[in-house]
C-alpha cells in the first residue's frame, strides 16, 4: 500500500524526471542495457544482411548486454518472414509487427515495449558507420546526456551523397533553426538514442507517426532543457532509398507549423521533463538559500523592464484621449496580463495550459496592489498641484511602479508561482 507521503509527492511533482545516474557496469546482467530498433517497411532484401552485420558488430565491440528489435510496420512483401527467421536463428533478436505504416509509430511502439534503459534506432540501410554506435550511447549509459544523435553536418563528419540530398538536408535544418529556434545540427540522420525514462515521458507528447517523429522529439526535448549529445558520423547515401522526398518535405513543413503553434501558446506540459542537478555536492540545495533566486531575479527584472516600457507607451497613448486615472488603469491592466504570462514562462518556468487561468487571476490581484499604489500616487500629486506636467506624472508613476515591482516579485514567488517541493523536501518535513 502506498503511503500518504508518497501520494503527496506524486501530487506535488507529477512526472518530473529523476537525476541521471550511470548505469551499473554488470556485463552479465540478464536484461539488455541497449535495445537497437531497426524500423522496416518492405525491406526483404536488406533486412537480413543489416541485422547480421549489426549483431556481429555489437557482439565484438559492445561491453553490455544488448538486443536488436525489428519493428516491421505494415510490410507487404516477405519482410515479416525474414524477420521471424532472424529472431529464430540470431541470439538477442526479436520482432514487433505493426499493421499500420509509419516509422514514428514503429519506433514509439518498440521503445515503449522495451525494458532496456538505453533505446536506439538506425536505418536498415546502415548508411551510418557502426563505429559511431558506442560513442552514441556512451553518454546515455554514463548518465551525462538524455538523448544522442548522429550528425552528418559536423565539420569532422565524412559524408558521401549527391548535391540534391545535401541541399535538402541543410535547407531543412535551416528552417528548423529559423522557425523553431532549434540548436541541434541534424534532425534527419537515422541514428539516434534516448534513455528509457526520458522516452516514457517524452513520447506521449510527440504526435507525429511518420518521418517528422525525430524532429518533433528533438525540438520538444531541447525546449524542455534536456541534454542532447551529438556524434559526428561517417555516412554514405543509399541510392536505392524509397523515401518520397516531396511528400516527406510537405509533411515535415506541416509538422513544423503544428509544433511551432503549440510551443507559442504553451500547449505542451514540458515541465514534466525537468531534470534536477546531478549528485555533485555543489549542486545540492544549501540550507536557507532559496533555489533559483538569482535566475528568477534576472528574469523578473528583464520582464519587468519590458512590461514597464509597454505600460508607459500604453499610458502615453491612452492619456491623449482620456483622463490620467482611466489611462493608468487600462495601461496597467494590459501590461499586467502580458507581465504575468511572461513571468509564468520565462521567470518561473511554468509551461502548458494547466492553471494558466488561475495564474492570470492571481496576477490581477497583484495588479490591484499596483493599481492602488500608482492611483494613490496620482491622487497625491493632484492634491499637491492642480495642473501637474506630463513629465511629473511619469516620474511619479515610475517611482510608484518601482515600489510595486518589489512587492509583485515577492507575491509571484510566494503565492502565484510557489516552488514545488521535491521528494527530498517532503522527507525533511515528515522527519
Amino acid at each position: 500500500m502506498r503511503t500518504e507521503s508518497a501520494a503527496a509527492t506524486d501530487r506535488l511533482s507529477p512526472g518530473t524526471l529523476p537525476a541521471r545516474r550511470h548505469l551499473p557496469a554488470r556485463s552479465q546482467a540478464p536484461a539488455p542495457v541497449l535495445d537497437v530498433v531497426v524500423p522496416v517497411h518492405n525491406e526483404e532484401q536488406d533486412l537480413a544482411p543489416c541485422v547480421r552485420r549489426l549483431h556481429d558488430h555489437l557482439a565484438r565491440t559492445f561491453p553490455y548486454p544488448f538486443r536488436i528489435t525489428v519493428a516491421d510496420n505494415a510490410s507487404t512483401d516477405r519482410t515479416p518472414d525474414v524477420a521471424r527467421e532472424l529472431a529464430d536463428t540470431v541470439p538477442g533478436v526479436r520482432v514487433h509487427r505493426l499493421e499500420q505504416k509509419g516509422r514514428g509509430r514503429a519506433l514509439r511502439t518498440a521503445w515503449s515495449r522495451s525494458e532496456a534503459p538505453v533505446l536506439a534506432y538506425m536505418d536498415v540501410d546502415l548508411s551510418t558507420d557502426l563505429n559511431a554506435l558506442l560513442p552514441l550511447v556512451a553518454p546515455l549509459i554514463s548518465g551525462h546526456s538524455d538523448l544522442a544523435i548522429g550528425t552528418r553536418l559536423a565539420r569532422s563528419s565524412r559524408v558521401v551523397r549527391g548535391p540534391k540530398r545535401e541541399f535538402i538536408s541543410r535547407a531543412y535544418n535551416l528552417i528548423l533553426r529559423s522557425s523553431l529556434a532549434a540548436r541541434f545540427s541534424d534532425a534527419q540522420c537515422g541514428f539516434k538514442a534516448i534513455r528509457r525514462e526520458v522516452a516514457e515521458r517524452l513520447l506521449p507528447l510527440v504526435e507525429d507517426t511518420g518521418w517528422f517523429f525525430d524532429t518533433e522529439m528533438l525540438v520538444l526535448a531541447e525546449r524542455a532543457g534536456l541534454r542532447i549529445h551529438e556524434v559526428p558520423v561517417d555516412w554514405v547515401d543509399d541510392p536505392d532509398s524509397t523515401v518520397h522526398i516531396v511528400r516527406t518535405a510537405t509533411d515535415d513543413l506541416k509538422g513544423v507549423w503544428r509544433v511551432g503553434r503549440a510551443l507559442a501558446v504553451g500547449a505542451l506540459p514540458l515541465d514534466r521533463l525537468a531534470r534536477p542537478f546531478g549528485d555533485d555536492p555543489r549542486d545540492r540545495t544549501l540550507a536557507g538559500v532559496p533555489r533559483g533566486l538569482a535566475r528568477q531575479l534576472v528574469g523578473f527584472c528583464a520582464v519587468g523592464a519590458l512590461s514597464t516600457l509597454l505600460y508607459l507607451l500604453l499610458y502615453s497613448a491612452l492619456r491623449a484621449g482620456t483622463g490620467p486615472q482611466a489611462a493608468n488603469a487600462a495601461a496597467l491592466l494590459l501590461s499586467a496580463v502580458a507581465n504575468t504570462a511572461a513571468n509564468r514562462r520565462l521567470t518561473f518556468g511554468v509551461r502548458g495550459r494547466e492553471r494558466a487561468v488561475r495564474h492570470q487571476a492571481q496576477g490581477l490581484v497583484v495588479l490591484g496592489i499596483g493599481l492602488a499604489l500608482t492611483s494613490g500616487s496620482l491622487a497625491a500629486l493632484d492634491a499637491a498641484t492642480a495642473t501637474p506636467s506630463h513629465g511629473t506624472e511619469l516620474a511619479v508613476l515610475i517611482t510608484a511602479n518601482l515600489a510595486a515591482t518589489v512587492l509583485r516579485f515577492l507575491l509571484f514567488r510566494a503565492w502565484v508561482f510557489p516552488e514545488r517541493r521535491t521528494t527530498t523536501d517532503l522527507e525533511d518535513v515528515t522527519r
Side-chain angles (χ1 to χ4, degrees):
M1 181 179 295
R2 292 169 55 82
T3 64
E4 293 183 3
S5 61
T9 300
D10 290 343
R11 290 195 300 271
L12 293 173
S13 303
T16 55
L17 286 167
R20 289 183 294 263
R21 294 289 186 269
H22 193 299
L23 298 178
R26 294 193 292 267
S27 59
Q28 301 303 318
V33 171
L34 172 66
D35 193 345
V36 183
V37 178
V38 182
V40 292
H41 174 73
N42 290 347
E43 298 286 356
E44 61 181 2
Q45 297 297 326
D46 294 336
L47 179 56
C50 163
V51 170
R52 295 184 185 280
R53 179 182 164 194
L54 175 59
H55 185 275
D56 177 69
H57 176 84
L58 288 170
R60 287 186 295 104
T61 65
F62 194 67
Y64 292 86
F66 64 87
R67 175 190 293 141
I68 299 173
T69 299
V70 179
D72 173 26
N73 54 112
S75 292
T76 57
D77 60 0
R78 292 191 62 257
T79 296
D81 298 329
V82 175
R84 284 191 294 269
E85 181 182 350
L86 288 169
D88 293 337
T89 58
V90 181
V93 175
R94 71 175 180 180
V95 180
H96 284 315
R97 166 71 179 181
L98 289 83
E99 299 303 329
Q100 290 179 291
K101 188 178 178 182
R103 185 181 69 167
R105 179 180 288 107
L107 289 175
R108 185 200 309 277
T109 302
W111 281 352
S112 299
R113 294 178 180 177
S114 178
E115 71 279 14
V118 176
L119 311 168
Y121 95 87
M122 61 181 58
D123 291 336
V124 69
D125 56 18
L126 293 185
S127 295
T128 304
D129 181 17
L130 291 179
N131 286 326
L133 182 55
L134 184 55
L136 181 80
V137 301
L140 308 187
I141 294 175
S142 70
H144 175 271
S145 300
D146 299 295
L147 298 92
I149 64 173
T151 175
R152 300 161 296 183
L153 302 181
R155 290 190 175 184
S156 57
S157 299
R158 295 185 297 178
V159 177
V160 178
R161 61 177 168 182
K164 180 180 179 181
R165 286 185 174 269
E166 180 76 11
F167 172 78
I168 292 174
S169 180
R170 292 188 177 274
Y172 181 64
N173 283 280
L174 180 61
I175 291 173
L176 294 181
R177 288 176 177 270
S178 59
S179 61
L180 298 178
R183 295 188 298 273
F184 50 85
S185 64
D186 192 350
Q188 295 176 309
C189 183
F191 196 69
K192 296 180 175 70
I194 186 172
R195 286 179 67 103
R196 186 183 64 188
E197 74 269 16
V198 177
E200 289 173 348
R201 293 160 175 80
L202 179 57
L203 296 186
L205 304 180
V206 180
E207 293 186 16
D208 191 80
T209 59
W211 292 96
F212 187 69
F213 174 89
D214 300 46
T215 301
E216 186 171 357
M217 178 181 69
L218 290 175
V219 169
L220 298 187
E222 190 175 73
R223 287 298 185 94
L226 298 180
R227 182 176 293 159
I228 302 175
H229 179 73
E230 297 198 8
V231 178
V233 297
D234 298 340
W235 194 86
V236 179
D237 187 19
D238 178 15
D240 298 324
S241 174
T242 58
V243 177
H244 299 282
I245 295 179
V246 175
R247 185 174 63 193
T248 301
T250 302
D251 292 341
D252 286 348
L253 292 177
K254 291 179 180 178
V256 169
W257 168 256
R258 174 177 54 79
V259 172
R261 183 177 56 184
L263 291 172
V265 300
L268 298 169
L270 299 181
D271 55 319
R272 297 178 184 174
L273 299 171
R275 279 281 198 192
F277 284 120
D279 56 1
D280 191 306
R282 294 169 297 179
D283 294 331
R284 295 172 185 166
T285 303
L286 300 177
V289 179
R291 286 175 287 182
L293 179 59
R295 180 188 61 79
Q296 290 178 355
L297 278 172
V298 172
F300 183 81
C301 289
V303 172
L306 293 175
S307 60
T308 299
L309 178 60
L310 175 63
Y311 164 79
L312 293 175
L313 292 174
L314 289 171
Y315 178 82
S316 298
L318 296 171
R319 181 65 179 85
T322 186
Q325 294 288 3
N328 172 62
L332 198 59
L333 175 62
L334 294 174
S335 60
V337 171
N339 181 279
T340 300
N343 275 308
R344 182 178 188 269
R345 180 168 184 176
L346 302 178
T347 303
F348 298 97
V350 180
R351 300 177 184 273
R353 296 179 179 178
E354 184 180 0
R355 301 172 65 186
V357 175
R358 176 181 174 180
H359 290 157
Q360 282 293 348
Q362 291 173 307
L364 291 178
V365 174
V366 177
L367 161 68
I369 297 175
L371 180 61
L373 286 173
T374 53
S375 297
S377 300
L378 285 175
L381 180 62
D382 288 338
T385 176
T387 57
S389 66
H390 183 64
T392 303
E393 284 184 352
L394 290 181
V396 170
L397 288 173
I398 290 174
T399 304
N401 268 288
L402 287 175
T405 296
V406 176
L407 184 58
R408 187 184 305 123
F409 176 76
L410 296 176
L411 288 174
F412 271 172
R413 182 177 173 83
W415 180 49
V416 183
F417 308 110
E419 186 171 331
R420 292 180 177 178
R421 292 184 177 182
T422 63
T423 305
T424 303
D425 297 331
L426 289 172
E427 291 175 351
D428 292 340
V429 171
T430 56
R431 284 176 184 171

